[in-house]
Amino acid sequence: MDSSFRDSSGSADKDSADPNLVLTLVYFLTIAAVLIGTAIYFFVMARITDPEVRLMELITTQREVQHLIDNLSSQFDNFLRIPMRWKAMKPYYTHHMLSWLFILALFASTVVIVVSLALDLAEVARVSTLTYVASLNALFMTRQHLYYVRRTYLTYDAEHYLVLDTTRYESFKWSVFNVVQICILVIEFLQLLSFPVRDMVDSISLAKNPDGSKDSGDSGTAGLIIGIITMFANLSSRFFVIQFWFLFAVIALISLVMGVIHMHNRWRPHKPIALYWVKYLLPLANLFYLPMLVMLIGSASCVSKLGTKEFSGASSGLLRCNDPSINKPLYLALSLVAYTVGYMTLTAFVTSFDRIPIKGEIHYKSQGVAFLKNMAMLLSIDFLLVADSYGHIRSILSLIIILAMVCFNINTQPCFVVKINYWRTLGFCCILWVALIVTMLTNEDSTLQSTNVGGIAGAMVAGIVILLVLFIIVRLVNRKYLAGSASEEMNALVDGNNADIPLTQWDVQSIPSSSFYLPKPNPTTHAPISAKKSP
């Protein structure tokens, strides 16, 4: 690096020392507070719970965790075993052929990254980094979809998963567990919302400062607030190294612990390590899933753009890596390795917990968790790794990804609680509205130059308020309709005659067909339900 670059780096650090110091302290203090709070909560609950109840909870938890470990092992086994012969691919030709296509893209991009780093081809390294990360995510998503197809129809426990697919509750109870789940949903909403918001802030800053100089006004304040709320810390170069090695050490420790436990339980199956505590890590994994992986992607994005035209103002993406002491090949390679291990491990872990939920508890179907987590990662890849010169295409891709999340949430209902699915759809629609504004204004430099962050923020908030009002109205109307239907059914049952309540097409389709359910009646020949005395 030349002296001018070092001087600009030093001045940038001096200007942003205090905000980055605050952000760094908030980042690590938040992690420490969450870990300590989780440990204290489970310690206190273990002390105040009746011993017999506690024993039953431990037995149940051990069974659930064993089921989680079996699912986790099945996921990795399904990921690694890809047939090479055409006949062995039957009947999942599409999944296996796509898997091999993504594997070829993965190996090709790896070779190109190594060659480009050796020859110092910055632009080629940036493009190949995007190809590697996108191919890895596409490969894992394809194998995971095949895993769920096989699990639903070919496993010995198919009835268990059919019950999970058909279970649904209208509401939930207010408990500590549910409050934690709601807080995680709110944080996830803010994290996803931060991608288009930060992109808009960067576009405003670039439009007002076309020479690439840093905007220390509204854009800097907005970036600081976003980083604090979402835990996506925009750390300066001196803190970037600490954060990077901290995340790398966490990923390495997780992999080491999983490997040691697996080898010990295989070596001494008669004395396995008790793993009931694994269940307590699920809320933490869901909370830190996006921050950890986004930081690794941001690290790879920032390092891969060193030396390119996009690395202007010593800033790029969510992380800054403008320290001359940073070794680009080393940090890029370690970022990709850490992301590969962390993405596969965390995604498989948070999508392996399948149990029949307790009524009133906020819990999710693993298929829904898998799809939404992968879509969130695709959204982060889109905003962090797609070149700034393709900002409009990046915004359109984000619209497609968020729209897919909205449609999936409406159609699949990934949460067992209907109310949670409803308000989560509202959250995705708000993110879609913000992304739509970003798409419309991305290339409008004249409009961005004449406005400020407050004006665009006002338009975003106004749209979100309108969506909230519409959802509340629809919710109230729907609740009134359901209350009226329930009242009519109750009157019919009190009178002892429900002949006026015919079996509709919706009722017939909602009856699951399996070996332990009643067979589906024929809607064309089934007579209306009539009151009959049991023999």
Side-chain angles (χ1 to χ4, degrees), residues 103-163:
I103 289 174
L104 290 176
L106 204 60
F107 277 107
S109 59
T110 303
V111 173
V112 173
I113 289 174
V114 174
V115 174
S116 61
L117 291 176
L119 300 179
D120 197 18
L121 302 175
E123 292 289 346
V124 178
R126 182 188 61 78
V127 175
S128 55
T129 300
L130 169 61
T131 306
Y132 176 89
V133 176
S135 301
L136 175 67
N137 281 57
L139 172 63
F140 195 81
M141 289 174 64
T142 303
R143 303 308 300 175
Q144 201 168 44
H145 183 265
L146 177 60
Y147 162 74
Y148 283 116
V149 171
R150 285 174 164 172
R151 190 192 71 171
T152 303
Y153 299 105
L154 300 180
T155 62
Y156 69 92
D157 210 9
E159 293 185 350
H160 171 81
Y161 298 117
L162 187 57
V163 171

Side-chain angles (χ1 to χ4, degrees), residues 155-436:
T155 62
Y156 69 92
D157 210 9
E159 293 185 350
H160 171 81
Y161 298 117
L162 187 57
V163 171
L164 291 176
D165 290 338
T166 55
T167 302
R168 189 170 62 176
Y169 302 116
E170 180 62 29
S171 186
F172 62 91
K173 299 178 181 178
W174 287 101
S175 62
V176 176
F177 177 82
N178 287 342
V179 170
V180 171
Q181 293 287 62
I182 293 175
C183 290
I184 292 175
L185 284 178
V186 173
I187 295 174
E188 179 190 60
F189 164 74
L190 295 175
Q191 289 171 345
L192 294 177
L193 184 65
S194 69
F195 289 113
V197 170
R198 192 184 291 269
D199 198 43
M200 175 58 69
V201 171
D202 292 340
S203 298
I204 296 174
S205 178
L206 184 61
K208 293 184 176 182
N209 303 275
D211 57 345
S213 61
K214 185 178 178 182
D215 182 15
S216 59
D218 295 340
S219 299
T221 304
L224 178 64
I225 295 174
I226 292 172
I228 292 176
I229 293 176
T230 61
M231 293 185 291
F232 291 160
N234 190 14
L235 304 185
S236 61
S237 57
R238 57 178 177 171
F239 299 118
F240 164 75
V241 176
I242 299 175
Q243 185 191 46
F244 174 82
W245 287 109
F246 171 75
L247 290 176
F248 187 85
V250 170
I251 296 297
L253 180 62
I254 292 174
S255 304
L256 179 63
V257 170
M258 291 181 63
V260 169
I261 292 176
H262 177 70
M263 295 303 297
H264 178 273
N265 289 347
R266 291 195 63 179
W267 177 47
R268 306 184 69 179
H270 55 286
K271 289 185 178 181
I273 299 176
L275 299 175
Y276 63 89
W277 49 270
V278 172
K279 179 183 176 181
Y280 305 143
L281 300 180
L282 276 169
L284 298 176
N286 281 290
L287 179 62
F288 292 113
Y289 178 86
L290 273 180
M292 290 180 64
L293 296 182
V294 165
M295 288 303 164
L296 293 173
I297 293 179
S299 174
S301 171
C302 184
V303 176
S304 66
K305 291 178 181 178
L306 284 172
T308 64
K309 296 179 180 179
E310 295 183 39
F311 198 80
S312 59
S315 178
S316 179
L318 298 182
L319 292 174
R320 280 169 289 179
C321 50
N322 56 327
D323 195 315
S325 64
I326 291 178
N327 187 318
K328 178 177 179 177
L330 175 64
Y331 275 78
L332 181 57
L334 292 180
S335 297
L336 293 178
V337 170
Y339 175 75
T340 301
V341 176
Y343 167 69
M344 294 174 57
T345 303
L346 289 176
T347 305
F349 178 70
V350 299
T351 59
S352 294
F353 189 62
D354 269 318
R355 69 179 180 87
I356 299 176
I358 302 172
K359 186 175 181 180
E361 181 182 84
I362 299 177
H363 193 59
Y364 305 92
K365 304 172 186 176
S366 62
Q367 298 97 319
V369 174
F371 182 86
L372 294 176
K373 292 292 186 186
N374 281 303
M375 288 294 104
M377 291 313 305
L378 288 180
L379 192 66
S380 63
I381 292 171
D382 177 45
F383 278 105
L384 291 176
L385 292 177
V386 176
D388 295 337
S389 56
Y390 297 97
H392 205 62
I393 297 177
R394 180 173 61 196
S395 300
I396 294 175
L397 288 176
S398 68
L399 279 178
I400 296 173
I401 294 172
I402 300 170
L403 184 60
M405 297 173 75
V406 173
C407 296
F408 178 86
N409 197 73
I410 294 174
N411 181 65
T412 308
Q413 301 285 301
C415 183
F416 292 103
V417 181
V418 176
K419 187 180 295 185
I420 295 297
N421 290 320
Y422 187 81
W423 295 114
R424 201 177 190 188
T425 302
L426 169 63
F428 290 146
C429 289
C430 293
I431 299 172
L432 183 64
W433 163 251
V434 174
L436 181 61

Side-chain angles (χ1 to χ4, degrees), residues 7-28:
D7 293 339
S8 64
S9 171
S11 61
D13 284 346
K14 289 179 181 179
D15 294 338
S16 60
D18 291 338
N20 277 285
L21 179 59
V22 172
L23 197 55
T24 304
L25 292 175
V26 171
Y27 178 76
F28 287 105

Side-chain angles (χ1 to χ4, degrees), residues 90-104:
K90 184 180 180 180
Y92 306 109
Y93 297 109
T94 303
H95 289 88
H96 295 312
M97 291 303 297
L98 286 176
S99 299
W100 281 114
L101 179 64
F102 295 136
I103 289 174
L104 290 176

Side-chain angles (χ1 to χ4, degrees), residues 44-58:
V44 172
M45 292 300 295
R47 294 296 180 273
I48 65 176
T49 305
D50 185 83
E52 294 183 359
V53 176
R54 177 64 179 167
L55 179 61
M56 294 302 299
E57 289 180 350
L58 287 176

Side-chain angles (χ1 to χ4, degrees), residues 474-495:
V474 172
R475 181 70 179 175
L476 293 176
V477 172
N478 188 42
R479 180 183 297 178
K480 184 177 180 180
Y481 171 77
L482 292 177
S485 300
S487 177
E488 291 179 2
E489 293 181 8
M490 181 61 67
N491 292 334
L493 292 175
V494 170
D495 294 340

